[in-house]
Structure formats: C-alpha cells, structure tokens
Amino acid sequence: MAAQAPAMPAIRLTWWIDDPRMRRLLLRLFAAALAVFIGIPLLTLVLWSFAGEWFWPNLIPTQWSLRWWQEVLDNPRVTNAMFLSFTIAPVVTLLTAVVAIPASPSGGRCCSSSSSRTLSHGSGSTCRSPSSTTRSALSTRTGESSSCT
Amino acid sequence: MAVAISARAAVRPRRLDRSRAAGLVLVLPSLVYLTVFVFIPVIKAFATSFTVRDRDDAGNYTYRVGLDNYGQLVASDTLRSNILFTVFIAISSVAIVFVIAYVIALALRFGKGASARFLGRIYIVPLFIPSVIASYAMITFLANHGFVDGILQTLGLPDGLFPKIVFDWKGIVITQVWLSLPFMTVLLSSVLLEISDALIESARDVGASSWQIFRHIVLPLSAPGALIGITFMFLGVIGGFTVPYLLGPNAPQMLGVSMVYYMTNYFEPFLASTQAVAIFLLSLVAAVYYVRQQFKREVR
C-alpha cells in the first residue's frame, strides 16, 4: 500500500491575512501611514500660517508670529471674500435643494415607500436624475434600486 | 426578462395619469435649469468646435464649418500629448485610490479594535478640505525643499536627490488620490456592507482562508458597485482643473488646464471647444459604461 504522504501545507503568499497578530500589526501600520498622508500636509499649512521666519532646512519655523493672521484679517478684500464665500455657499445649497429635491425619485419624501414608487413611475425621467443614480450606486440591493424601474 | 418588462410597461399608464402631471411639475425646475445651463451651452460648444477661422492676407477673419480643429487635435504634438497625459493621470490616480480605499473599506467592514476605529475617523477628513487648499498643502508638503524633503535630508538624503513631485504628474496623482479617498471609501464601504456575514461565515466553516474569501466572495460581490465608483472618479479626474492647474507641469498639460489656456491666453475658442468635446468623448466612455451597468441592475 503506497503510503500517501501527508500533503505538505503549501506556503502561501497570503498567510499573513489569517494571522490575527500580523493582521493587527499591518492594520496599525496602514492607519499610521494614512494618518501621516492625510494629516501632515494640512499641518504644514497650519505651521506656515504661524511662521514668522522659516528658512529651509529647518523642520519647524524658527520664529513664530501672528503677523500673517493679522495681515489677512486686516485686509478688507480678504474679509470681503470670506463674507462672500459664507453667503454664496448657503444660497447655492438652498437653490440646489429647491431645484433638485422635487426631481428626486421620491419627490423629497424619504425612502422607497409605495407612494414614492407611484411618483417615480409617473415621471419616468426622474429616474435619471443624478441623485437617484448616486443613490442606486450606493446600494447594490436590487430591492432599493428597482423602485426606480 | 423582456416579457416582464413589457408587462410592467403595459400596466404603467393606467395606474397614474394624475401623478404623471404632478411628476412633470416637480421635474420642471431642474429640467429648465439643465436646458438653459447645461444642454444649450454644450450644444454651442459642439457647434464652436466645428467652426474654423481662416485669416486672409489682409488680416481679416473668415469663418466656415469644417473638421480642421479635430485634425489639429490629432496632428498637433502638444494637443495629442495633452490628451494622452489626461488619460494617463486619470487611470493612474483611479487605480491608486481604488487600492487604498479598498483596504480602508475592508478594515472598516471586517476590522475590529482601535486601529479600525481610528481609520474610520481619519479617512473622511479630505472631504472637508477644498481642492485649492489641498493643492497648496501638497505643494508645501512635497515640494523640493518642502516638508518631506526637509525630513529626508535631516535623515541623511543628499540635497538634490529628492524627486520632482510637485509641478509634475506625480503631484497631480498624489493630490487627486488625497482628495478622492473619502468618496471612494464611502462608496466601497457601503458596497461591502451589503455582503452578508452569513455568506462569509459559511465559507469559513467549510475551510476557506481569508484570502480565498476575499478572492472568491468579497471581490466578485463588490465588483459592480466598485466599478461605478471607479467610473465616477474617472470622470472627476479627467475634467479636473484646480489640482492640475496648481500642481501640474507646464507641458504636457491636462485637458482642463490646456483648454483654459487656449481659451483665455491664446484666444483660440475654437480649439478650446474642440478640447472640451475631447473631454466629453473621454467621459462618454465612462458614462456609457455606467449607464449599461445601471441598466443591467434594473433589469435584474
């Protein structure tokens, strides 16, 4: 009887996925790398805004100052621009809502109840509105996206 | 399936004549808006791209209809390399974002513990940063003699060895990755949430390794949703202006930047419109794919 050799466990390239400790370590490294990638660029901007003097190759400013903040806040063109930004943003949001919400498949009502279903049947073109397409993009369940067919 | 669709179509009119009128009224504002601010300008741009401007010896301009602009789009080295550059940037940034976002989404879906929770908090940050600010942040961060360069030289890298990232294609790609990460991750997370735990546990019960579960269950089930995310991001990058304008090289340029230069600096509105149509055609590839994917889903 040919002794069947016990199959050698194949060495897989993906062993580390099944090892909880390795997985935790890699996840931690990944989270740290991502935090650096996302956070540090923003941090450099903050540092620059408080820098009085920062010549290369110093890693942090050699002099700190609020001078640039003062300069920005004293400049009427900048404060006007800020005011304008904070006016335009809510106005645009409001206008977009006024135009887009009635055209969304549920007509502004939430979720796919039977009433929203009849409504979206009533005007076939609403199903092509961007909001509905993103919503069905975000849900792979056929039940939700079919409310639009 | 076809039978089912036609049957449904036959039922439809009887059910709702009143709400059809109501529906039309509700769609009207956005329809009017789209017509005035989207459809008509698009048609005008199309028409402009077929307008050819000739200049006679006296310096007078004459206009005619022709395909010369498109000929120039193909024949001109500058414009051709701009198109290829745009496609290259779009594909590479989408690929990188997809991989990183998929890892985050997997960690959010299956990971437990502090690191996963931490990831869930930080990945969303770029969503709240406007692209102009992100671009300047990346310039101070990655420029030659910037922040990263400074750290590396403190660690012993000789001056001048730091690669040129800002004002190069790498800068555009990195910043687009930074900006698009939250969108892609949100989308992929919601796709992964749809995969039921029961399916994964049963696979594990019959002895599947984590890799096999990922390869044969998670990846195929998330593919349709993931492809939609890829389409959206491709569209965003291909038509992008801010990031390539602030971080891109002088040549080749992405089409968005080149289009603005042709329009405002070179006074060539016709060639600018032709490039706009080129962007539109590139986007059309992605859009057709998206619509087909949606259609498949609705039929199913």
Side-chain angles (χ1 to χ4, degrees):
Chain A
M1 202 165 92
Q4 193 147 18
M8 278 281 286
I11 297 170
R12 290 179 296 113
L13 286 172
T14 54
W15 60 271
W16 51 270
I17 304 179
D18 279 310
D19 181 13
R21 270 183 27 216
M22 196 67 189
R23 194 147 68 171
R24 215 168 318 143
L25 180 72
L26 286 173
L27 186 62
R28 217 166 273 174
L29 283 177
F30 179 73
L34 197 76
V36 168
F37 178 58
I38 289 179
I40 305 293
L42 295 174
L43 197 70
T44 27
L45 274 192
V46 175
L47 281 183
W48 268 111
S49 77
F50 290 109
E53 190 187 279
W54 188 1
F55 290 115
W56 204 80
N58 297 298
L59 288 182
I60 52 166
T62 39
Q63 259 174 43
W64 300 88
S65 125
L66 289 171
R67 188 186 145 201
W68 305 112
W69 282 92
Q70 187 140 27
E71 202 131 317
V72 160
L73 293 175
D74 284 347
N75 186 342
R77 285 171 54 178
V78 176
T79 39
N80 282 344
M82 281 183 199
F83 182 74
L84 198 61
S85 296
F86 282 104
T87 318
I88 287 179
V91 169
V92 168
T93 312
L94 205 71
L95 286 179
T96 312
V98 166
V99 173
I101 289 178
S104 75
S106 49
R109 272 162 290 167
C110 176
C111 312
S112 54
S113 63
S114 59
S115 61
S116 73
R117 183 174 285 253
T118 48
L119 202 74
S120 65
H121 273 295
S123 46
S125 62
T126 55
C127 287
R128 303 284 167 266
S129 76
S131 63
S132 96
T133 45
T134 16
R135 185 177 311 164
S136 46
L138 288 171
S139 79
T140 47
R141 254 178 296 154
T142 40
E144 269 180 40
S145 51
S146 69
S147 71
C148 206
T149 48
Chain B
M1 269 190 283
V3 177
I5 290 170
S6 60
R8 200 185 292 166
V11 175
R12 196 181 290 177
R14 214 191 60 210
R15 209 159 78 193
L16 328 142
D17 271 324
R18 200 168 49 92
S19 58
R20 169 171 294 188
L24 271 179
V25 170
L26 288 177
V27 198
L28 208 62
S30 62
L31 195 66
V32 169
Y33 184 88
L34 286 175
T35 311
V36 174
F37 294 105
V38 179
F39 299 140
I40 293 176
V42 165
I43 292 168
K44 281 194 74 173
F46 255 106
T48 316
S49 76
F50 289 106
T51 308
V52 184
R53 182 173 61 184
D54 295 314
R55 191 164 180 269
D56 64 15
D57 294 334
N60 300 315
Y61 289 127
T62 50
Y63 300 90
R64 62 186 166 82
V65 175
L67 283 169
D68 301 32
N69 296 326
Y70 289 90
Q72 212 164 330
L73 200 63
V74 182
S76 151
D77 285 339
T78 315
L79 289 175
R80 209 177 44 228
S81 59
N82 286 354
I83 295 174
L84 292 176
F85 185 66
T86 308
V87 174
F88 166 74
I89 294 279
I91 291 176
S92 41
S93 32
V94 169
I96 295 172
V97 168
F98 181 74
V99 172
I100 301 178
Y102 211 112
V103 174
I104 303 175
L106 281 175
L108 294 181
R109 171 71 176 82
F110 300 110
K112 287 166 193 68
S115 322
R117 273 201 306 278
F118 178 66
L119 265 183
R121 296 225 180 87
I122 55 164
Y123 84 87
I124 204 80
V125 168
L127 198 64
F128 302 103
I129 311 292
S131 53
V132 185
I133 294 168
S135 300
Y136 279 115
M138 277 300 170
I139 291 174
T140 57
F141 185 59
L142 291 172
N144 298 83
H145 286 200
F147 196 75
V148 178
D149 195 5
I151 288 179
L152 287 178
Q153 294 202 19
T154 313
L155 296 176
L157 184 87
D159 197 4
L161 276 191
F162 190 72
K164 187 180 174 188
I165 296 177
V166 172
F167 312 125
D168 194 35
W169 66 270
K170 302 180 214 82
I172 308 179
V173 170
I174 291 173
T175 313
Q176 292 286 15
V177 167
W178 197 90
L179 280 168
S180 311
L181 212 49
F183 169 72
M184 194 65 120
T185 311
V186 166
L187 206 134
L188 287 176
S189 312
S190 80
V191 168
L192 290 186
L193 275 178
E194 305 276 336
I195 299 171
S196 77
D197 283 329
L199 204 60
I200 287 156
E201 278 157 22
S202 54
R204 207 174 280 287
D205 284 345
V206 293
S209 69
S210 296
W211 170 252
Q212 283 171 318
I213 292 174
F214 172 71
R215 174 72 191 74
H216 297 287
I217 295 176
V218 175
L219 199 58
L221 280 179
S222 63
L227 285 170
I228 287 168
I230 288 177
T231 318
F232 271 118
M233 201 198 140
F234 185 81
L235 291 177
V237 175
I238 227 165
F241 174 73
T242 315
V243 174
Y245 180 70
L246 292 173
L247 277 141
N250 284 328
Q253 288 165 338
M254 283 186 73
L255 280 178
V257 179
S258 143
M259 194 168 67
V260 170
Y261 279 140
Y262 270 83
M263 188 82 182
T264 59
N265 295 13
Y266 314 151
F267 305 110
E268 293 271 10
F270 309 101
L271 272 176
S273 297
T274 315
Q275 292 176 63
V277 174
I279 296 182
F280 176 74
L281 291 178
L282 288 174
S283 311
L284 200 64
V285 179
V288 165
Y289 174 79
Y290 172 76
V291 169
R292 275 184 54 187
Q293 206 67 24
Q294 279 310 95
F295 180 72
K296 257 195 239 164
R297 178 169 298 170
E298 283 177 14
V299 167
R300 186 164 40 134

